[in-house]
Amino acid sequence: QQQVKQSPQSLIVQKGGISIINCAYENTAFDYFPWYQQFPGKGPALLIAIRPDVSEKKEGRFTISFNKSAKQFSLHIMDSQPGDSATYFCAVTRGSARQLTFGSGTQLTVLP
Amino acid sequence: KAGVTQTPRYLIKTRGQQVTLSCSPISGHRSVSWYQQTPGQGLQFLFEYFSETQRNKGNFPGRFSGRQFSNSRSEMNVSTLELGDSALYLCASSLGPDTDTQYFGPGTRLTVL
């Protein structure tokens, strides 16, 4: 059973545009929703994270939107830059079990 | 502060051999988790250690094992290697078992021939 469904698989955006990546989850017990960014040859790096008690969190050009009733959350990258070209993973975790369950990843390409 | 360190960075083994990978967490971090990353299965949780005790284990066969030392450094071992074990093995550290934020190392790229 796939616990987190991430879409799209790949995304191409023009410089300055908005990149949107979506994730849907099944288990309502999940209580922590991070997004990770991974460049080739590197480990994933935490970008931004949200808890279900808020509907939106913004850090610089990155925003998480969270819809508890729909069991969905999304990453918005405003003013996308070529340096944002990377693979993005959503993840979920719950309670005392801190292991991250990851989405399948989205390869983002920002054209100059 | 130095990040998570993983050694070696690259490793080539043949089927049937065993391998040991090492992870040094960020100074002061006491929890270490291991993940396997492959193109087909994505990122999958292997196990988590805190205070030298395994707290959680993912859905992997018993050939995959790990341990944590008193200085929080961790090792994982894979015995009787199979071709399908070729992957990037990532270690992540966090302050403690109740801390959400996990910091990943660069990984060890294991190739099984």
Side-chain angles (χ1 to χ4, degrees):
Chain A
Q1 181 187 4
Q2 191 175 1
Q3 296 196 65
V4 187
K5 293 184 180 180
Q6 184 173 342
S7 62
Q9 187 174 8
S10 62
L11 182 61
I12 299 175
V13 174
Q14 293 286 341
K15 179 183 176 182
I18 301 174
S19 303
I20 301 175
I21 305 170
N22 301 297
C23 278
Y25 61 97
E26 296 291 326
N27 192 336
T28 56
F30 291 132
D31 62 0
Y32 180 68
F33 305 86
W35 284 91
Y36 280 83
Q37 178 190 56
Q38 186 177 29
F39 292 103
K42 305 286 186 181
L46 179 66
L47 202 55
I48 187 172
I50 198 168
R51 290 197 169 277
D53 52 346
V54 296
S55 60
E56 186 175 282
K57 183 175 181 180
K58 184 177 180 180
E59 290 184 0
R61 297 185 295 109
F62 301 93
T63 300
I64 296 180
S65 295
F66 184 79
N67 187 329
K68 190 174 182 178
S69 60
K71 294 187 287 186
Q72 295 177 347
F73 60 109
S74 60
L75 175 69
H76 296 235
I77 305 175
M78 312 300 287
D79 187 27
S80 298
Q81 300 296 312
D84 297 330
S85 297
T87 302
Y88 292 81
F89 294 92
C90 64
V92 295
T93 188
R94 62 181 176 89
S96 61
R98 305 320 298 175
Q99 65 258 34
L100 294 164
T101 299
F102 286 90
S104 55
T106 296
Q107 188 167 347
L108 171 65
T109 302
V110 182
L111 301 176
Chain B
K1 185 181 281 190
V4 178
T5 304
Q6 292 188 244
T7 56
R9 291 294 311 280
Y10 302 92
L11 207 49
I12 299 175
K13 293 286 187 179
T14 56
R15 280 183 301 174
Q17 288 187 309
Q18 74 165 18
V19 67
T20 300
L21 312 181
S22 179
C23 171
S24 293
I26 293 171
S27 177
H29 285 198
R30 299 172 62 199
S31 286
V32 173
S33 296
W34 289 89
Y35 293 83
Q36 181 196 63
Q37 185 173 26
T38 61
Q41 299 299 316
L43 279 152
Q44 292 185 287
F45 171 78
L46 279 157
F47 24 65
E48 177 199 0
Y49 286 89
F50 172 71
S51 289
E52 303 176 63
T53 301
Q54 186 181 92
R55 296 184 71 240
N56 293 296
K57 181 171 169 55
N59 189 26
F60 279 83
R63 299 185 298 107
F64 292 82
S65 63
R67 59 177 176 169
Q68 186 182 33
F69 302 95
S70 58
N71 62 357
S72 297
R73 192 177 68 84
S74 177
E75 289 181 346
M76 69 162 283
N77 185 78
V78 187
S79 62
T80 319
L81 284 166
E82 301 177 358
L83 295 178
D85 297 333
S86 294
L88 180 67
Y89 289 89
L90 293 157
C91 169
S93 78
S94 60
L95 281 170
D98 298 322
T99 307
D100 293 322
T101 304
Q102 296 186 32
Y103 299 88
F104 283 82
T108 294
R109 173 73 62 183
L110 171 65
T111 301
V112 182
L113 302 177

